[in-house]
């Protein structure tokens, strides 16, 4: 245990699987908490079987959401597995779960049951929909919720069919929001000693993700238009093609536009044209202006454009592929990707936690765990079970 980490000493029991719940638990682990992840003895977390394999029972998907955790196996369909999980929960500060509606009550792992014996417990439930509404029992899937919350409708280019985000944004946003809410509940517990039942649902978080587009839709009582990589009210602002690759150009005000025309594309007359003199005018006449700008940028090498834009004080950047971004000098210098290895010796890269305190990035203390690799250690440490006791549980299929 590293006592210098913000959440050092905090015990978290992660009963969740797939993405939103595991991300919430990983956030706490990244900040120093001791996170124990409970998995099924045979299949483990569903994501161990998703995507590119890294070792016999790990995958890139699983690894991305489960660093800084210890893994134990428990069959929660067996009474003994349920009993052990309850004992572990009663020794924890935080429990995170995303079981199907009513599933935890059947196992005696619901908030009411645990809080009766452990009033200081912070218990986080993640569901698909309003847990008090008519769809409470409906399972939540990121792609479905992206469609139902309008996110697919606002994503993509004008005239394009509904398009999902490149990653599971609703799951990710829900997981990060859950981490924030858990920390708030822990802070409240410091004042009054009482735990809380923290509840997040994917649909709520998907609605929140519509942000200013959602506000515009409510004000105008209509769907906002799609702008793709462009900005709805700033021109020129977006992704453009140079002669040898794409780049981002963000001309944020009229002074920048004058410098852009004069010093970058050598078309000063565009800045003097009354149709383009102000941002409001450029937005109205974007369909006339943008083809002219695109033609000028397409004639020039990206490196030359980036230099000219930087000298003109205009924010800009390359558009990189994922591999290019992860292996870029910028990412490497910042320590954004680390090399580690599973306990079986399989080398695996991991993305480093984004949090920094006093200039130091939070460490990767534990690589993504192999299935159940910490079962014996955790059960001995928390419940006093010796090797023979763990072997007996293993023989019975409980762990």
């Amino acid at each position: 245990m590293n006592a210098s980490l913000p959440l050092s000493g905090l015990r978290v029991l992660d009963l969740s699987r797939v993405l939103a719940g595991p991300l919430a638990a990983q956030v706490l682990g990244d900040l120093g908490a001791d996170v124990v992840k409970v998995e099924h003895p045979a299949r483990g977390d569903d994501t161990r079987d998703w995507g590119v394999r890294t070792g016999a029972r790990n995958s890139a998907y699983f690894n991305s959401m489960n660093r800084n955790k210890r893994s134990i196996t428990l069959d929660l369909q067996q009474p003994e597995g349920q009993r052990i999980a309850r004992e572990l929960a009663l020794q924890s500060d935080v429990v995170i779960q995303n079981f199907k509606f009513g599933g935890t009550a059947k196992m005696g792992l619901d908030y009411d049951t645990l809080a009766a014996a452990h009033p200081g417990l912070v218990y986080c439930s993640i569901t698909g929909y309003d847990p008090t509404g008519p769809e409470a029992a409906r399972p939540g899937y990121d792609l479905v919720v992206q469609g139902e919350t309008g996110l697919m409708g606002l994503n993509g280019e004008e005239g394009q069919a509904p398009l999902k985000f490149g990653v599971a944004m609703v799951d990710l946003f829900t997981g990060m929001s859950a981490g924030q809410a858990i920390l708030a509940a822990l802070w409240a517990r410091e004042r009054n000693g009482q735990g809380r039942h923290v509840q997040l649902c994917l649909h709520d978080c998907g609605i929140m993700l519509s942000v200013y587009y959602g506000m515009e839709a409510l004000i105008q009582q209509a769907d906002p238009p799609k702008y793709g990589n462009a900005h709805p009210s700033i021109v020129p602002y977006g992704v453009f093609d140079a002669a040898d690759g794409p780049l981002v150009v963000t001309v944020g005000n009229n002074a920048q536009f004058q410098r852009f025309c004069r010093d970058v594309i050598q078309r000063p007359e565009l800045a003097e044209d009354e149709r383009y003199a102000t941002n409001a005018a450029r937005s109205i006449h974007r369909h006339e202006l943008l083809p002219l700008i695109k033609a000028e940028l397409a004639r020039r090498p990206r490196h030359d454009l980036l230099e000219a834009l930087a000298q003109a004080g205009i924010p800009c950047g390359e558009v990189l592929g994922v591999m290019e971004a992860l292996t870029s000098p910028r990412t490497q210098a910042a320590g954004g990707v680390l090399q580690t290895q599973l306990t079986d010796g399989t080398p695996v890269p991991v993305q480093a936690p984004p949090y920094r305190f006093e200039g130091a990035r939070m460490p990767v203390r534990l690589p993504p765990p192999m299935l159940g690799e910490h079962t014996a250690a955790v059960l001995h440490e928390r419940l006093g079970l010796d090797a023979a006791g763990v072997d007996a549980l293993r023989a019975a299929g409980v762990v």
Side-chain angles (χ1 to χ4, degrees), residues 238-242 245-249 302 305-306 309 316-319:
V239 177
F240 298 88
D241 287 321
L247 75 162
V248 173
V249 178
R302 182 165 66 175
L305 285 171
L306 291 170
L309 287 161
C316 60
E318 303 168 281
V319 177

Side-chain angles (χ1 to χ4, degrees), residues 46-220:
D46 297 350
T47 60
R48 287 186 180 275
D49 194 37
W50 291 8
V52 178
R53 290 281 190 180
T54 57
R57 296 300 303 275
N58 283 50
S59 70
Y61 203 117
F62 175 85
N63 292 353
S64 71
M65 293 294 116
N66 290 286
R67 62 176 178 259
N68 286 329
K69 299 181 185 181
R70 297 192 286 172
S71 170
I72 70 169
T73 54
L74 284 177
D75 185 350
L76 296 178
Q77 299 306 309
Q78 295 197 41
E80 184 66 3
Q82 296 168 9
R83 183 192 66 80
I84 291 172
R86 283 193 295 272
E87 288 194 34
L88 292 172
L90 296 178
Q91 294 185 19
S92 300
D93 299 288
V94 177
V95 169
I96 301 172
Q97 65 86 14
N98 60 354
F99 285 99
K100 292 180 181 177
F101 184 78
T104 53
K106 296 177 182 177
M107 297 181 286
L109 292 169
D110 56 299
Y111 173 70
D112 290 339
T113 299
L114 296 176
H118 183 3
L121 179 66
V122 172
Y123 185 100
C124 178
S125 298
I126 296 176
T127 59
Y129 302 88
D130 178 0
T132 64
E135 296 183 299
R138 189 179 171 203
Y141 288 86
D142 177 275
L143 182 61
V144 175
V145 175
Q146 283 197 38
E148 292 175 333
T149 55
L151 297 176
M152 291 173 64
L154 66 83
N155 198 27
E157 300 287 344
E158 183 179 3
Q160 186 176 17
L163 180 69
K164 77 177 184 68
F165 284 72
V167 294
M169 281 301 301
V170 175
D171 275 340
L172 293 171
F173 194 70
T174 303
M176 295 301 291
S177 298
Q180 293 175 342
I182 289 167
L183 293 174
L186 288 168
W187 175 242
R189 189 181 72 171
E190 287 295 306
R191 299 196 301 275
N192 57 30
Q194 291 296 308
R196 304 290 287 271
H197 188 187
V198 175
Q199 296 173 286
L200 276 292
C201 75
L202 299 183
H203 189 267
D204 287 349
C205 292
I207 290 294
M208 251 190 96
L209 266 170
S210 67
V211 289
Y212 43 85
Y213 282 116
M215 291 298 98
E216 288 183 4
L218 291 171
I219 292 168
Q220 297 177 357

